[in-house]
C-alpha cells in the first residue's frame, strides 16, 4: 500500500514539475490550438520607466528571447494592466517565437502616472513611447504595433504617427474611438457605455469591500461587484445609471452620456479620423467578427486603407467581441503576419480577405471586401410575406405600438458584454411590439455576403422613434435565429411625427441559407439596452435626463407608392475560394 502511495506521489510531483516548465505548457498549447512551437526561453524586465514630454511617467515590461542576436520589437499599450492575461500572454507567446515585446500601462492605469481619459492621450503617449524605444540598446531598428480591442486602438494610434521604424500593424476588434459604438445609431448604446464604464471604474479604483488591486484582479473584482450588484438598465433618467450601479457618478460614463453630439470636443480629442487611418503607411492586418460591436469601425478602416492603396488584410470570424475563438485567431494570425513582414522566407495567402460563414466551419478567401455579389430584392407585403413581386396599389400597412415603459428588449446581436450574439428569436417575434415578414423556403442553397440593405417606409405619431430591422434565418423546423440587423433613431419634422423613407445598411454578414430554410425580416422600434429606450420626444441628449415617455403608434407601409423592401447581396463564385480550416 505504501509503495502504491509512493509511486502515485512521484507521478503527481513529476507531472506537476513537467507542467511547471514552459516548454511542456507551450507544447500542449501549440498542439491544442495549432500554433508554431516556441523557439526561445525568455527574460522579462519588469518596471521599465519612461517620461513623456509633459512629464508623465509610463511603466512597461519588456519580454526578450533568451538567445543571441537582435530581434524586431512588438509594442502593445494597454489600459487594463500590463500584467493582465491578454497583454502578458500575447507578449510571452510572441517573445518565445523570436520577438522583443514591450507591454506598457497607459496613462493613469496600472503603474503609470497621470489621469486616464479614455483614448484621449493615446496618440501623444504612443508617439513618445515609439521615440523612447528607438533610443534603447536592444532595439534593432524595426518594430510593429499590436493589440486587440482598446489595445488595437492604441496600436493604430501609434502606427498613424508613420515613424519609419514601424514596419507593421496588427489591430483586432478595435474601434476608431467610442463614437460609432455608442452613438452610431443616433441613439445611445446604453449597454456598452454603462458596462464598460463600471468595469473600468472598478479596475481603476482597484478596491471592493476593502480589497485593493488593479489589472486582471481589478477586472475580476469588477465581475464580483456585478454578481453581487448587477448593472441595472431599467433606470430613468439614464444619466443616473452609473450612480445606481456604483453609488457615485463615474466620470467616464458621464463623458459618454453628455457627448451625444458629434461636435462634442471629447470625440475630436479621443478618436482617429478616417484620414488618419487611411494615411497609415505600414502594412496593416485587421481582424473582427460578425457580432463584434467594433466591427463597423474595423470594416470602415479596411475600406479606407484599401481605397488609399495600402493593401490591408482583413479576417472576420463569427463570434462576439473578443471571445475565445477570436483570441486563438489573433495568436495564429499575428505570428504569421509578423513573420511575413520581418522574415523574407515567410509567406502568406495571396488573397487578402478571409471570412467565416455564420453557423458553419466554412471559411472563404477573397481578393477584397465586399465580395462580388448580385442584388436580390424582397418586398414586404400586407399578409406578413416577403416576395420578389412589387406590391399592388392601395393603402397597405402593418401597425404596432412601442411603449418605452416596457421597451422591446435586445435579443442577440453585436455585443461588448452580456447577451448571446446568436439566439432563438421566438420570444421576441411573439411580442406585440414586433412584426415579422417571411419568405418561402429556398429551393437551393443561397450564399449571402456583404451588406443587406433595407428601404422601409416608417410612420410614427411621436416626434422621434427608433426603427429596428433584423434578418433572421429560419430552419426547416421553424427555429428563427438572428443573422444581422440595424437600428436607427428617426427624428421627424413635427412633434406629431410623420412618414419617413428610411434606408438602412444592416451590419455586414456572411451566411449560407440552406435549401428548405427561410428568410425572415423582423421589425421593431427598440432593442433595449443596446439602444436606450426612445421616450418619444426630445433629442438623444435631452432624453438622457428625462424620466417619462409616451407610447408610439407605428406603421410599416408596403404598397405600390411606398414599397418597403430588403435587398440581399448574393455572392458570386468568382474571386473567392472556400475551405473548412479555421
Amino acid at each position: 500500500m505504501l509503495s502504491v502511495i509512493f509511486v502515485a506521489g512521484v507521478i503527481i510531483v513529476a507531472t506537476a514539475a513537467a507542467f511547471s516548465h514552459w516548454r511542456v505548457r507551450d507544447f500542449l498549447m501549440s498542439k491544442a490550438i495549432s500554433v508554431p512551437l516556441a523557439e526561445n526561453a525568455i527574460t522579462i524586465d519588469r518596471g521599465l520607466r519612461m517620461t513623456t514630454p509633459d512629464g508623465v511617467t509610463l511603466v512597461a515590461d519588456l519580454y526578450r528571447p533568451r538567445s543571441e542576436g537582435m530581434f524586431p520589437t512588438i509594442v502593445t499599450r494597454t489600459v487594463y494592466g500590463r500584467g493582465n492575461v491578454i497583454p502578458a500572454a500575447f507578449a510571452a507567446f510572441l517573445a518565445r517565437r523570436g520577438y522583443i515585446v514591450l507591454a506598457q500601462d497607459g496613462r493613469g492605469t496600472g503603474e503609470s502616472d497621470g489621469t486616464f481619459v479614455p483614448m484621449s492621450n493615446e496618440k501623444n503617449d504612443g508617439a513618445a513611447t515609439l521615440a523612447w524605444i528607438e533610443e534603447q540598446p536592444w532595439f534593432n531598428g524595426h518594430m510593429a504595433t499590436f493589440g486587440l480591442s482598446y489595445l488595437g486602438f492604441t496600436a493604430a494610434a501609434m502606427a498613424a504617427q508613420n515613424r519609419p521604424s514601424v514596419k507593421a500593424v496588427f489591430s483586432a476588434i478595435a474601434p476608431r474611438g467610442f463614437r460609432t459604438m455608442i452613438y452610431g445609431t443616433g441613439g445611445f448604446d446604453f449597454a456598452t457605455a454603462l458596462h464598460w464604464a463600471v468595469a473600468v471604474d472598478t479596475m481603476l479604483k482597484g478596491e471592493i469591500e476593502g480589497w485593493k488591486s488593479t489589472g486582471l484582479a481589478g477586472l475580476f473584482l469588477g465581475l464580483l461587484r456585478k454578481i453581487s450588484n448587477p448593472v441595472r438598465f431599467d433606470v430613468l433618467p439614464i444619466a443616473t445609471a452609473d450612480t445606481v450601479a456604483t453609488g457615485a457618478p463615474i466620470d467616464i460614463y458621464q463623458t459618454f452620456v453628455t457627448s451625444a453630439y458629434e461636435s462634442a470636443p471629447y470625440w475630436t480629442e479621443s478618436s482617429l479620423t478616417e484620414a488618419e487611418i487611411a494615411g497609415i503607411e505600414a502594412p496593416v492586418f485587421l481582424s473582427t467578427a460578425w457580432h463584434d460591436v467594433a466591427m463597423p469601425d474595423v470594416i470602415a478602416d479596411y475600406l479606407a486603407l484599401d481605397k488609399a492603396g495600402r493593401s490591408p488584410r482583413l479576417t472576420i470570424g463569427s463570434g462576439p467581441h473578443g471571445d475565445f475563438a477570436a483570441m486563438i485567431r489573433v495568436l495564429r494570425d499575428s505570428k504569421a503576419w509578423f513573420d511575413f513582414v520581418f522574415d523574407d522566407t515567410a509567406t502568406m495567402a495571396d488573397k487578402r480577405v478571409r471570412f467565416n460563414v455564420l453557423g458553419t466551419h466554412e471559411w472563404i478567401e477573397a481578393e477584397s471586401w465586399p465580395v462580388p455579389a448580385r442584388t436580390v430584392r424582397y418586398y414586404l407585403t400586407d399578409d406578413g410575406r416577403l416576395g420578389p413581386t412589387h406590391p399592388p396599389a392601395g393603402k397597405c400597412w402593418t401597425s404596432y405600438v412601442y411603449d418605452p415603459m416596457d421597451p422591446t428588449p435586445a435579443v442577440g446581436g453585436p455585443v461588448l458584454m452580456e447577451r448571446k450574439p446568436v439566439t432563438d428569436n421566438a420570444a421576441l417575434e411573439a411580442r406585440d411590439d414586433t412584426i415579422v415578414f417571411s419568405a418561402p423556403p429556398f429551393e437551393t442553397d443561397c450564399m449571402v455576403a456583404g451588406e443587406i440593405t433595407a428601404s422601409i417606409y416608417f410612420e410614427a405619431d411621436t416626434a422621434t422613434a427608433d426603427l429596428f430591422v433584423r434578418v433572421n434565418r429560419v430552419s426547416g423546423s421553424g427555429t428563427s435565429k438572428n443573422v444581422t440587423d440595424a437600428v436607427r433613431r428617426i427624428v421627424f419634422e413635427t412633434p406629431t411625427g410623420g412618414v419617413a423613407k428610411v434606408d438602412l445598411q444592416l451590419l455586414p454578414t456572411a451566411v449560407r441559407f440552406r435549401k428548405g430554410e427561410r428568410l425572415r425580416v423582423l421589425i421593431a422600434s427598440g432593442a433595449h439596452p443596446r439602444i436606450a429606450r426612445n421616450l418619444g420626444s426630445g433629442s438623444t441628449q435631452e432624453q438622457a435626463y428625462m424620466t417619462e415617455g409616451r407610447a408610439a403608434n407605428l406603421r410599416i407601409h408596403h404598397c405600390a407608392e411606398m414599397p418597403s423592401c430588403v435587398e440581399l447581396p448574393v455572392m458570386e463564385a468568382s474571386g473567392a475560394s472556400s475551405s473548412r480550416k479555421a
Side-chain angles (χ1 to χ4, degrees):
M1 181 65 180
L2 289 176
S3 61
V4 172
I5 295 173
F6 176 76
V7 171
V10 170
I11 292 173
I12 291 171
V13 171
T15 302
F19 273 91
S20 68
H21 195 280
W22 67 268
R23 285 195 181 277
V24 175
R25 296 196 307 270
D26 184 88
F27 174 81
L28 295 173
M29 179 191 72
S30 299
K31 294 299 181 182
I33 62 177
S34 300
V35 295
L37 283 168
E39 303 163 0
N40 308 282
I42 59 173
T43 296
I44 306 175
D45 301 326
R46 301 192 184 278
L48 276 64
R49 310 175 84 82
M50 59 156 282
T51 303
T52 65
D54 63 343
V56 172
T57 298
L58 303 180
V59 183
D61 293 338
L62 189 71
Y63 295 71
R64 295 186 294 166
R66 197 180 298 167
S67 302
E68 294 294 327
M70 301 288 282
F71 303 91
T73 299
I74 311 299
V75 189
T76 187
R77 303 187 63 252
T78 180
V79 298
Y80 302 123
R82 67 188 190 278
N84 197 342
V85 63
I86 292 176
F90 279 92
F93 173 84
L94 291 169
R96 294 193 191 282
R97 287 157 180 81
Y99 296 95
I100 292 174
V101 184
L102 184 87
Q104 184 184 69
D105 287 331
R107 180 182 294 236
T109 69
E111 292 187 84
S112 290
D113 294 338
T115 301
F116 175 60
V117 180
M119 298 185 174
S120 292
N121 296 294
E122 309 305 350
K123 296 178 190 178
N124 292 337
D125 288 352
T129 300
L130 298 182
W132 178 82
I133 290 171
E134 290 170 348
E135 298 174 353
Q136 303 310 305
W138 39 261
F139 181 59
N140 77 342
H142 303 284
M143 72 173 107
T145 65
F146 166 83
L148 60 161
S149 194
Y150 192 108
L151 288 67
F153 171 85
T154 65
M158 285 187 284
Q161 310 300 318
N162 285 327
R163 299 185 76 91
S165 59
V166 176
K167 307 299 184 182
V169 186
F170 190 100
S171 176
I173 57 173
R176 291 182 184 177
F178 280 111
R179 171 73 194 175
T180 302
M181 290 171 61
I182 294 177
Y183 285 107
T185 63
F188 178 64
D189 189 329
F190 194 10
T192 295
L194 186 59
H195 269 142
W196 194 79
V198 169
V200 173
D201 179 67
T202 300
M203 181 195 70
L204 293 177
K205 289 179 179 176
E207 56 184 272
I208 184 170
E209 294 182 0
W211 289 23
K212 289 183 178 289
S213 189
T214 58
L216 179 60
L219 289 174
F220 175 71
L221 293 176
L223 177 62
L224 289 180
R225 166 189 273 176
K226 182 178 170 185
I227 293 171
S228 61
N229 184 24
V231 173
R232 289 174 48 194
F233 293 102
D234 59 347
V235 177
L236 285 175
I238 61 173
T240 65
D242 53 342
T243 300
V244 172
T246 67
I250 300 172
D251 289 344
I252 296 170
Y253 181 77
Q254 289 302 312
T255 297
F256 290 159
V257 85
T258 58
S259 302
Y261 298 108
E262 193 170 2
S263 59
Y266 173 70
W267 303 123
T268 303
E269 298 166 359
S270 65
S271 304
L272 291 169
T273 66
E274 183 165 314
E276 287 176 309
I277 294 293
I280 295 175
E281 297 172 358
V284 178
F285 193 118
L286 299 168
S287 183
T288 185
W290 296 128
H291 301 293
D292 172 22
V293 71
M295 188 254 287
D297 270 359
V298 176
I299 291 186
D301 289 351
Y302 168 83
L303 295 174
L305 287 160
D306 191 54
K307 183 178 179 181
R310 307 293 186 189
S311 299
R313 288 182 177 261
L314 174 67
T315 294
I316 311 173
S318 289
H321 184 80
D323 64 353
F324 182 72
M327 301 300 105
I328 301 305
R329 283 197 304 274
V330 170
L331 280 174
R332 294 172 182 163
D333 291 347
S334 62
K335 171 66 166 62
W337 178 235
F338 294 139
D339 286 353
F340 178 69
V341 171
F342 293 113
D343 183 349
D344 292 338
T345 66
T347 60
M348 290 195 78
D350 292 335
K351 293 180 178 179
R352 296 184 291 113
V353 174
R354 186 167 173 267
F355 59 88
N356 183 235
V357 180
L358 281 172
T360 75
H361 296 291
E362 180 183 1
W363 286 81
I364 291 176
E365 293 183 346
E367 300 290 347
S368 62
W369 181 269
V371 294
R374 59 185 174 87
T375 299
V376 176
R377 180 176 296 167
Y378 288 84
Y379 291 97
L380 281 61
T381 69
D382 61 350
D383 55 359
R385 290 185 297 144
L386 292 170
T389 305
H390 196 281
K395 293 184 178 180
C396 297
W397 61 71
T398 302
S399 302
Y400 62 103
V401 177
Y402 172 76
D403 182 359
M405 298 300 105
D406 180 23
T408 317
V411 177
V415 59
L416 180 68
M417 302 178 183
E418 299 289 321
R419 301 198 318 269
K420 293 180 179 179
V422 178
T423 188
D424 186 351
N425 277 223
L428 182 63
E429 293 174 355
R431 286 179 61 100
D432 292 337
D433 53 4
T434 66
I435 54 177
V436 297
F437 300 83
S438 301
F442 285 96
E443 296 180 356
T444 61
D445 285 7
C446 178
M447 178 66 199
V448 174
E451 286 187 345
I452 298 173
T453 61
S455 293
I456 306 296
Y457 289 86
F458 181 53
E459 181 178 357
D461 65 354
T462 50
T464 176
D466 296 340
L467 176 63
F468 176 80
V469 178
R470 166 170 284 177
V471 165
N472 288 345
R473 178 174 58 172
V474 184
S475 70
S477 64
T479 301
S480 180
K481 291 189 175 181
N482 53 294
V483 173
T484 183
D485 53 46
V487 58
R488 177 84 55 80
R489 179 150 295 183
I490 310 301
V491 178
F492 295 94
E493 295 182 357
T494 69
T496 55
V499 179
K501 180 177 181 287
V502 183
D503 294 320
L504 284 174
Q505 288 187 323
L506 278 63
L507 294 172
T509 192
V511 60
R512 190 181 300 279
F513 288 90
R514 298 294 185 184
K515 179 181 178 180
E517 294 182 334
R518 287 183 294 154
L519 169 74
R520 177 169 292 165
V521 172
L522 179 148
I523 295 179
S525 284
H528 185 77
R530 174 176 160 190
I531 182 172
R533 67 184 90 190
N534 194 325
L535 299 176
S537 64
S539 67
T540 296
Q541 185 73 85
E542 292 167 338
Q543 287 196 17
Y545 302 93
M546 294 168 58
T547 59
E548 296 181 358
R550 53 162 294 195
N553 295 293
L554 306 155
R555 288 177 175 175
I556 303 300
H557 291 267
H558 36 72
C559 57
E561 299 80 6
M562 293 184 279
S564 295
C565 65
V566 295
E567 293 183 342
L568 273 59
V570 177
M571 194 179 96
E572 304 288 1
S574 60
S577 60
S578 176
S579 74
R580 294 181 65 83
K581 187 177 179 181

